[in-house]
């Protein structure tokens, strides 16, 4: 098994625009099995809505 860094939270982005939606989500646990890393997520800490596309 490789080296994995523990994270308390991860920020996810939607889309490719600079003013896109994002969310910061709590990471409860991280597991590694058969070459696949799985993040077990908890509460959302922050949600930011980007500008709407016209």
């Amino acid at each position: 098994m490789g080296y994995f860094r523990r994270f308390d939270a991860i920020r996810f982005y939607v889309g490719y625009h600079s003013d896109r939606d994002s969310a910061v989500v709590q990471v409860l646990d991280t597991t590694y099995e058969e070459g696949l890393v799985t993040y077990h997520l908890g509460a959302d800490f922050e949600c930011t809505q980007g500008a709407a596309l016209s």
Side-chain angles (χ1 to χ4, degrees), residues 5-51:
R5 177 181 254 178
R6 175 166 162 60
F7 293 99
D8 293 326
I10 296 178
R11 179 178 295 275
F12 293 98
Y13 291 97
V14 178
Y16 296 97
H17 298 281
S18 61
D19 57 351
R20 59 190 179 237
D21 297 350
S22 68
V24 178
V25 181
Q26 176 185 25
V27 177
L28 299 174
D29 192 20
T30 306
T31 56
Y32 179 80
E33 185 176 326
E34 298 180 13
L36 179 67
V37 177
T38 303
Y39 294 98
H40 304 270
L41 305 177
D44 59 330
F45 293 138
E46 174 188 302
C47 293
T48 305
Q49 185 174 9

